[in-house]
Amino acid sequence: MFAKNSLCRKFIASSPDVIVITNEEGIVLAGNSRAAEMFGYVDEATIPLSVNDNYKYPEDRERLMNLLSSGEVVKDFEAEVLDRDGNSIFTSISVSAMDVGGMRVFVAIVRDISERKKTQLNEIRFETLATLSGMADADYNQIYDFALEAAVRITRSEIGYIYFVNEDESELRLYAWSRKVMPQCSVELIPDIYHVKDVGIWGEAIRQRRPMILNDYAACGAKKGLPKGHVPIKRHMNVPLFDDGKIVLLVGVGNKEDEYDDEDVRQLTLMMDGMWNIVRRKQADEALRQAYAEMEGKVEERTKELRRALGDLRQVNSAMANEVGQRRLAEQRLRQFERLVELSPDMVSLLDSDYRYVMVNDSYVRFFDKPKEYFLGRPVYEVTGKDVFDDRSKKLIDSAFAGQTTGFEAWVDLPLVGKRFFSVTYHPVDSVVGDGRLVSITAHDITEQKEMLEEVKRLASTDYLTGAHNRRHFMSRAETELDRLTRYGGELYLMMLDIDHFKNINDTYGHSVGDVVLKEMVKCCIETLRTSDVFGRLGGEEFAALLVHGSIDSAIQVAERLREAIEDMEVRIGRHVVKLTVSIGLTMVCADEDIEIALKHADKCLYQAKEQGRNRVVSYCKKGS
């Protein structure tokens, strides 16, 4: 039938999707060029006779056949398949069963969803890192527990664990197993400390100082076996976490449904590095606060001792003794302060009353790539730039000289390194030389955390395909504009637009061309609309815009200008040139109505525009307005 029926051949050959037709034994009866491209063959004539060997996991085919045995259709069945070279592809398979000439055949439509899988993992990692960055005030156990459960989730595993590693990397100390482990575990005694030289294959990540993957635990001959009652292990992966060249932590996961790979290693490593940065910054902040407290206590105690000594010596030479004692104490305090701050990963410095550097730590040297001698005695504005000093730093430094602790978080454009996002704190420090004060400056470079949070916010409010605002963000902005209309008056208009005959574009050129058309149409809309207007994708080929300022006449002019701009577009993709038009529904948003009512009015106008022949604007205004 498929060999002789020209309609069937034409349908299969012209489909933008991968199509493979098999019998119940998996023998290929027909396929199209998209199938050949996906699996790495020259054309559909060279596709293998059987698809059974193309499943990465044979049990996936068994599950698919079981589903088909209980019905005629299976939709969006996810499975990993192998191309001609053995490379793995994540796919979504939809299969329909039918009888042809007394023979039962299966028509399968296959889509490559590898990029979607990767995007989902990145979104989970961004969400995890964003949550971790907001846990600076949480205790360490909360941070480690959250990171452990995130490690299990980001690798799609069933179990996970964290071990801390001692200074010489010879011992592993158990922190915790993930929540799902302990209900399955009946081991009577779990040691707190393991010696690296004595543990089995799970210690190879420490011994070899690199991530280790074991996808067939049962077949591994090097394992020492599990204690009685231990959770069964099918697959295992663990990753060492390095800090300044030393392994400080070992995180492991196990029993993922499919095999672990390098992408799992990458995602887990990035997430745990982000967690450890939060921990190190928290440790540094605590150490610095403790150092300040200890220093102030020692200074107070030393001052009392000095006063008693000065009282005894006052009759001999009170003025000379006072000056010598004060200078000695000042030098001692400065040396103590320098020793404490050298250990900090943040940039710490001291300024005198002339805004000149008295001391900088090694973090300053590494960050600016300048020797300490470059800073000492130099005015701070030569490092920060005169504009930053005059507009922001000087006022806060003066407040610190007056005894207040101040600070800021902002983007700063530094002459030596460029634009970075800093969290800066200014502390007053008593000086025993004269009556003046010193100011301690602690600067955190949190550019990466800031950019990561901005990216998370952008992903949460943006449609992933077109770059327009997504429906949730658009509706939030609409509620804000409606609230402003209610409070202050004015006029607000809502415009809905829909691409005419978009299904024909997809059917004629394929969904990939349809996606490009959507992107180019959105680009045209954003360039045509005013900067004050709000534009978003409601779903499919349906979009909406809020026209924030103007009258009904100006709103109609904006809608017509947009319709004409889209009508004049030509989307060129290879040898294809795609023309398109849109139908637009326009309505006034009234302060006494909610946004859903306005959407219904605009949608009704959009429907009328479609009924009246498409490629037109139909508007609605409430009577009396």
Side-chain angles (χ1 to χ4, degrees):
M1 171 182 174
F2 292 104
K4 297 177 180 179
N5 190 310
S6 61
L7 180 60
C8 288
R9 290 202 310 275
K10 183 177 181 182
F11 167 74
I12 295 171
S14 63
S15 172
D17 291 317
V18 172
I19 293 182
V20 177
I21 302 173
T22 68
N23 64 10
E24 291 184 287
E25 287 74 34
I27 303 302
V28 175
L29 304 176
N32 62 0
S33 59
R34 303 296 189 278
E37 292 171 5
M38 173 178 282
F39 292 103
Y41 293 94
V42 177
D43 53 41
E44 59 269 26
T46 63
I47 295 176
L49 297 179
S50 172
V51 298
N52 293 346
D53 293 335
N54 286 95
Y55 286 89
K56 184 173 182 179
Y57 304 107
E59 55 267 28
D60 283 343
R61 172 167 168 77
E62 294 177 8
R63 289 195 293 120
L64 180 59
M65 296 305 293
N66 289 336
L67 290 173
L68 283 167
S69 66
S70 60
E72 295 295 319
V73 177
V74 173
K75 292 185 178 180
D76 299 326
F77 180 86
E78 294 189 5
E80 282 189 75
V81 299
L82 302 174
D83 65 10
R84 182 182 184 181
D85 298 323
N87 298 313
S88 179
I89 306 170
F90 280 100
T91 62
S92 173
I93 306 173
S94 298
V95 186
S96 177
M98 64 176 66
D99 288 324
V100 178
M103 180 172 64
R104 185 171 172 81
V105 299
F106 300 112
V107 180
I109 296 178
V110 186
R111 292 191 174 94
D112 185 345
I113 60 171
S114 299
E115 288 302 318
R116 189 179 79 192
K117 284 286 185 180
K118 187 179 296 184
T119 300
Q120 289 172 348
L121 286 176
N122 285 330
E123 288 175 352
I124 292 172
R125 177 165 60 82
F126 276 129
E127 176 187 346
T128 300
L129 291 176
T131 303
L132 278 170
S133 66
M135 295 179 69
D137 296 330
D139 62 43
Y140 291 109
N141 287 343
Q142 289 175 314
I143 294 174
Y144 293 138
D145 289 343
F146 178 83
L148 178 56
E149 297 305 323
V152 173
R153 184 163 64 102
I154 204 171
T155 58
R156 295 166 292 159
S157 300
E158 292 183 0
I159 59 175
Y161 60 81
I162 287 179
Y163 279 85
F164 291 108
V165 183
N166 67 346
E167 183 71 17
D168 63 2
E169 301 179 9
S170 64
E171 291 182 348
L172 295 163
R173 178 171 57 84
L174 176 63
Y175 168 72
W177 284 83
S178 56
R179 284 193 295 265
K180 291 184 178 180
V181 173
M182 298 317 294
Q184 307 175 50
C185 181
S186 59
V187 176
E188 294 182 359
L189 180 62
I190 301 177
D192 290 331
I193 301 293
Y194 290 87
H195 296 286
V196 173
K197 63 182 178 61
D198 297 330
V199 299
I201 56 174
W202 66 278
E204 285 298 305
I206 301 294
R207 293 190 285 265
Q208 298 191 32
R209 301 175 64 78
R210 64 182 180 87
M212 301 297 295
I213 293 176
L214 183 62
N215 279 317
D216 190 352
Y217 182 84
C220 178
K223 63 180 184 294
K224 292 188 175 182
L226 301 173
K228 183 179 179 181
H230 194 283
V231 177
I233 302 296
K234 297 181 293 185
R235 296 184 179 90
H236 176 260
M237 178 187 80
N238 57 3
V239 173
L241 182 66
F242 289 86
D243 186 353
D244 197 20
K246 292 185 177 180
I247 300 176
V248 293
L249 181 147
L250 179 67
V251 59
V253 291
N255 293 353
K256 180 183 175 184
E257 184 175 340
D258 50 7
E259 292 188 349
Y260 291 106
D261 54 26
D262 290 341
E263 180 64 18
D264 293 313
V265 171
R266 189 181 76 87
Q267 293 287 350
L268 184 55
T269 301
L270 287 172
M271 193 273 291
M272 295 307 292
D273 282 342
M275 180 276 291
W276 192 249
N277 286 335
I278 300 297
V279 170
R280 291 286 289 118
R281 191 168 301 284
K282 183 177 177 66
Q283 291 172 341
D285 288 342
E286 292 175 353
L288 191 58
R289 284 194 295 269
Q290 183 178 356
Y292 276 126
E294 291 177 356
M295 184 177 68
E296 291 298 326
K298 290 178 180 179
V299 168
E300 184 177 355
E301 181 181 350
R302 180 60 178 154
T303 301
K304 291 179 181 178
E305 294 176 358
L306 183 60
R307 285 172 180 168
R308 287 194 295 269
L310 288 174
D312 296 335
L313 296 174
R314 188 174 290 111
Q315 293 180 353
V316 181
N317 194 339
S318 60
M320 181 180 296
N322 182 56
E323 181 179 354
V324 171
Q326 286 181 337
R327 288 187 179 277
R328 184 175 300 160
L329 181 59
E331 291 171 358
Q332 180 183 359
R333 289 178 60 192
L334 186 57
R335 286 195 299 271
Q336 290 174 337
F337 186 84
E338 288 176 342
R339 285 196 297 269
L340 290 170
V341 301
E342 284 302 337
L343 301 175
S344 174
D346 298 310
M347 292 183 288
V348 183
S349 61
L350 278 178
L351 297 185
D352 63 16
S353 58
D354 293 326
Y355 310 107
R356 296 180 181 274
Y357 287 103
V358 176
M359 187 277 300
V360 297
N361 68 347
D362 286 342
S363 294
Y364 248 83
V365 173
R366 289 192 296 269
F367 183 80
F368 288 100
D369 196 20
K370 296 286 186 182
K372 287 187 177 182
E373 292 73 18
Y374 174 85
F375 300 94
L376 299 182
R378 185 182 294 269
V380 67
Y381 51 77
E382 291 187 10
V383 176
T384 65
K386 198 70 167 61
D387 291 341
V388 173
F389 178 78
D390 291 339
D391 297 340
R392 185 184 301 277
S393 303
K394 185 177 184 301
K395 180 179 179 180
L396 298 177
I397 295 172
D398 290 341
S399 296
F401 278 129
Q404 299 179 13
T405 296
T406 61
F408 72 88
E409 284 191 3
W411 287 100
V412 178
D413 195 359
L414 301 175
L416 295 176
V417 296
K419 195 171 183 181
R420 306 292 293 176
F421 194 88
F422 276 98
S423 172
V424 184
T425 305
Y426 302 91
H427 297 280
V429 178
D430 289 332
S431 172
V432 296
V433 180
D435 297 327
R437 287 179 178 266
L438 300 175
V439 169
S440 167
I441 305 176
T442 303
H444 302 274
D445 180 9
I446 55 175
T447 306
E448 293 181 1
Q449 293 92 320
K450 181 68 176 176
E451 291 175 343
M452 179 180 67
L453 288 174
E454 292 299 324
E455 178 65 9
V456 170
K457 292 178 182 178
R458 187 190 70 79
L459 289 173
S461 62
T462 304
D463 175 57
Y464 75 96
L465 175 65
T466 64
H469 293 313
N470 59 24
R471 182 183 183 91
R472 182 181 63 79
H473 185 71
F474 179 84
M475 295 301 291
S476 175
R477 287 290 305 275
E479 294 292 346
T480 300
E481 295 299 334
L482 182 58
D483 182 65
R484 185 179 290 114
L485 177 69
T486 304
R487 289 171 179 266
Y488 306 111
E491 294 185 10
L492 178 65
Y493 295 89
L494 174 67
M495 180 172 66
M496 290 184 65
L497 59 150
D498 185 277
I499 300 177
D500 297 328
H501 301 299
F502 184 66
K503 184 177 183 301
N504 290 345
I505 295 175
N506 278 335
D507 291 345
T508 302
Y509 303 104
H511 289 279
S512 59
V513 173
D515 290 346
V516 175
V517 169
L518 288 175
K519 292 176 186 177
E520 291 299 317
M521 193 275 289
V522 167
K523 180 180 177 182
C524 176
C525 290
I526 293 174
E527 292 174 349
T528 304
L529 291 171
R530 302 165 300 184
T531 56
S532 59
D533 299 330
V534 182
F535 183 74
R537 183 184 185 187
L538 301 185
E541 66 271 21
E542 189 172 71
F543 297 82
L546 284 169
L547 309 182
V548 179
H549 302 295
S551 62
I552 182 61
D553 292 333
S554 65
I556 292 175
Q557 289 176 2
V558 170
E560 286 289 352
R561 185 167 66 248
L562 182 60
R563 182 192 63 78
E564 292 171 359
I566 294 172
E567 185 179 17
D568 293 338
M569 282 176 55
E570 286 188 352
V571 181
R572 296 181 177 273
I573 305 169
R575 56 187 178 84
H576 302 300
V577 177
V578 182
K579 297 282 292 181
L580 65 150
T581 61
V582 293
S583 299
I584 299 177
L586 176 68
T587 185
M588 172 185 282
V589 181
C590 298
D592 58 349
E593 297 176 345
D594 62 34
I595 200 66
E596 293 293 343
I597 294 177
L599 282 169
K600 290 180 180 178
H601 289 321
D603 189 56
K604 192 174 294 184
C605 292
L606 176 61
Y607 178 78
Q608 291 178 10
K610 295 282 189 182
E611 288 290 307
Q612 294 173 18
R614 295 180 171 82
N615 191 21
R616 64 190 65 239
V617 177
V618 173
S619 59
Y620 165 81
C621 285
K622 188 175 179 181
K623 291 182 179 179
S625 64

